[in-house]
């Protein structure tokens, strides 16, 4: 930005104003002149390529510069103030990412993900074939977060009989002694996935939902729950596994995971994890190395470990299984699968939510 434009307001075009004022922010971001945006705020984007792939929060700030109703509009042309704001944003982002210890299990003391089988950790010294699990013949199963009793015998789990083969071949090895007798949550999805598509949630995310929108109890208005919302929790060293999430797929190159975790917010600080676990805004700040998950291997990870579903290179039928352990803050009745044998979330740990999780104005906690 030249000195002549510093401190001067920039008048957006009528098309830009219409896109922003009608709420079509996504459309506006794609239509915006990325070269102009790069010139406006070089600290956010130093070239056209970077501007095209701007951090989503940076895009919101830039859109605000065009919007007369936004406080950011008052800062149009004030490069030095915007630079300071963006510096503070980046500093906070980076402070909430804790990189993991060495993936070499001989030296790791705090793990964010690991390959497991019957409570044992996979190392490079093990034979890969010994750790493979076998998925059952598919039957288009589609269940999400079904409550069940974590037990050592299938009959004690209170799972429906059509899941017995999953139990025998995969699920039984995900039950560690510290979780026996507690309520866990099972997801099984079997479906055909088109080339270039993902079966699960796209974008980098954590299983912990971060911000949760709930209807205000006293004023009848939407409120935001920002405290740590557990989705299995998880802590691991080379000596033990506690809580966490187990997942596996029969398709290679369909998910990747980062060896880091997103720290919970400090008191009076916002959680950098957005709605439904979205952390796309942190993509540029995660460790450069990540691991593409192997097929037919069970992975354990924490609920704040970043991972991403990958578009498939070819269309194929994919089977996915996930076990979320007992530390679950909220169970969404509208989106999750009830257990036909009557197992329900533990009311001492988990609150049942009614209403759509995509509409906070209709989402509320059910009294126990």
């Amino acid at each position: 930005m030249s000195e002549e434009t510093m401190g001067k307001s920039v008048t957006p075009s009528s098309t830009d104003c219409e896109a922003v004022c009608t709420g079509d922010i996504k459309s506006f971001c794609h239509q915006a002149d990325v070269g102009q945006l790069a010139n406006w705020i070089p600290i956010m984007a130093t070239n056209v390529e970077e501007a095209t792939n701007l951090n989503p929060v940076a895009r919101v700030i830039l859109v605000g510069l065009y919007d007369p109703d936004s406080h950011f509009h008052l800062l149009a042309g004030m490069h030095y103030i915007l630079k300071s704001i963006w510096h503070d944003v980046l500093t906070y982002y980076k402070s909430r990412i804790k990189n993991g210890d060495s993936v070499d299990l001989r030296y790791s003391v705090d793990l964010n993900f690991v390959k497991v089988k019957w409570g044992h950790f996979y190392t490079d010294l093990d034979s890969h074939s010994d750790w493979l699990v076998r998925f059952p013949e598919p039957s288009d199963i589609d269940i999400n977060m079904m409550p069940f009793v974590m037990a050592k015998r299938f009959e004690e789990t209170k799972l429906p009989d059509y899941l017995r083969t999953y139990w025998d071949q995969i699920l039984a090895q995900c039950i560690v002694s510290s979780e026996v007798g507690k309520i866990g949550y099972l997801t099984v999805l079997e479906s055909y996935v088109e080339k270039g598509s993902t079966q699960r949630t796209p974008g980098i995310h954590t299983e912990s939902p971060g911000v949760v929108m709930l209807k205000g109890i006293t004023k009848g208005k939407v409120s935001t729950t920002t405290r740590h919302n557990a989705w299995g929790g998880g802590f691991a060293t080379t000596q033990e596994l506690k809580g966490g999430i187990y997942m596996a797929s029969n398709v290679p190159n369909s998910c990747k995971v980062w060896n880091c975790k997103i720290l919970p917010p400090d008191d009076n600080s916002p959680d950098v994890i957005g709605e439904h676990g979205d952390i796309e805004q942190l993509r540029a700040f995660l460790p450069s190395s990540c691991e593409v998950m192997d097929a037919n291997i069970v992975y354990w990870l924490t609920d704040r470990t970043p991972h991403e579903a990958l578009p498939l290179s070819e269309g194929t039928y994919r089977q996915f299984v996930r076990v979320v352990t007992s530390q679950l803050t909220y169970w969404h009745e509208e989106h999750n699968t009830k257990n036909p044998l009557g197992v329900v979330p533990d009311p001492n740990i988990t609150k049942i939510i009614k209403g759509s999780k995509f509409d906070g104005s209709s989402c509320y906690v059910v009294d126990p």
Side-chain angles (χ1 to χ4, degrees), residues 161-330:
D161 197 60
Y162 69 86
L163 293 169
R164 181 182 290 271
T165 52
Y166 266 96
W167 170 265
D168 292 339
Q169 298 178 35
I170 300 176
L171 301 178
Q173 61 181 274
C174 301
I175 310 301
V176 297
S177 58
S178 61
E179 291 289 325
V180 170
K182 299 178 181 180
I183 303 300
Y185 302 88
L186 175 62
T187 296
V188 177
L189 179 57
E190 301 176 332
S191 65
Y192 184 83
V193 185
E194 299 287 348
K195 177 181 178 180
S197 299
T198 63
Q199 184 187 48
R200 304 289 297 172
T201 304
I204 299 179
H205 63 283
T206 63
E207 294 300 301
S208 173
V211 172
V212 174
M213 301 297 292
L214 296 175
K215 183 184 292 185
I217 297 175
T218 57
K219 297 182 179 180
K221 296 181 179 179
V222 178
S223 60
T224 304
T225 299
T226 56
R227 68 186 180 88
H228 175 47
N229 297 303
W231 199 266
F235 176 78
T237 69
T238 53
Q239 304 300 318
E240 62 180 345
L241 284 175
K242 287 187 176 181
I245 299 161
Y246 299 83
M247 63 173 62
S249 163
N250 69 331
V251 176
N253 303 317
S254 57
C255 186
K256 63 182 177 181
V257 59
W258 279 260
N259 184 26
C260 65
K261 69 178 63 172
I262 309 304
L263 297 175
D266 298 326
D267 292 340
N268 301 318
S269 297
D271 197 338
V272 294
I273 297 178
E275 284 189 90
H276 317 305
D278 179 24
I279 55 169
E280 190 63 38
Q281 75 277 14
L282 301 182
R283 180 182 290 271
F285 314 114
L286 297 178
S288 57
S289 61
C290 57
E291 178 170 325
V292 177
M293 291 184 172
D294 292 328
N296 305 309
I297 292 284
V298 176
Y299 283 77
W300 176 95
L301 60 155
T302 79
D303 65 0
R304 298 181 77 90
T305 299
H307 55 287
E308 178 179 24
L310 300 176
L312 299 187
S313 58
E314 297 292 339
T316 190
Y317 196 93
R318 185 175 188 257
Q319 292 171 270
F320 170 81
V321 59
R322 179 188 66 191
V323 173
V324 176
T325 54
S326 59
Q327 295 303 307
L328 180 73
T329 304
Y330 297 120

Side-chain angles (χ1 to χ4, degrees), residues 147-166:
F148 73 102
V149 179
M150 290 185 285
K152 293 296 186 180
R153 298 175 60 249
F154 177 78
E155 290 73 17
E156 297 172 354
T157 66
K158 303 295 181 66
L159 284 169
D161 197 60
Y162 69 86
L163 293 169
R164 181 182 290 271
T165 52
Y166 266 96

Side-chain angles (χ1 to χ4, degrees), residues 41-45 55 57-58 61 72 75 78-96 272 282 285:
I41 308 182
I43 192 62
M44 293 181 180
N55 181 291
V57 174
I61 294 175
F72 284 116
L75 301 178
M78 298 183 183
H79 171 231
Y80 55 96
I81 297 180
L82 291 169
K83 181 176 180 179
S84 178
I85 291 173
W86 189 237
H87 176 269
D88 289 345
V89 170
L90 297 188
T91 299
Y92 185 66
Y93 280 171
K94 294 174 183 178
S95 73
R96 307 323 298 162
V272 294
L282 301 182
F285 314 114

Side-chain angles (χ1 to χ4, degrees), residues 101-168:
D101 292 323
S102 168
V103 293
D104 187 332
L105 294 179
R106 293 171 296 177
Y107 307 109
S108 296
V109 294
D110 185 9
L111 304 172
N112 299 306
F113 74 90
V114 67
K115 301 173 185 177
V116 294
K117 191 170 187 178
W118 297 108
H120 298 288
F121 300 164
Y122 175 92
T123 73
D124 292 337
L125 302 178
D126 294 311
S127 170
H128 182 76
S129 60
D130 292 340
W131 289 75
L132 296 177
V133 297
R134 184 164 58 91
F135 275 77
E137 285 296 316
S139 55
D140 294 334
I141 297 174
D142 183 2
I143 62 172
N144 185 53
M145 296 293 288
M146 177 187 286
F148 73 102
V149 179
M150 290 185 285
K152 293 296 186 180
R153 298 175 60 249
F154 177 78
E155 290 73 17
E156 297 172 354
T157 66
K158 303 295 181 66
L159 284 169
D161 197 60
Y162 69 86
L163 293 169
R164 181 182 290 271
T165 52
Y166 266 96
W167 170 265
D168 292 339

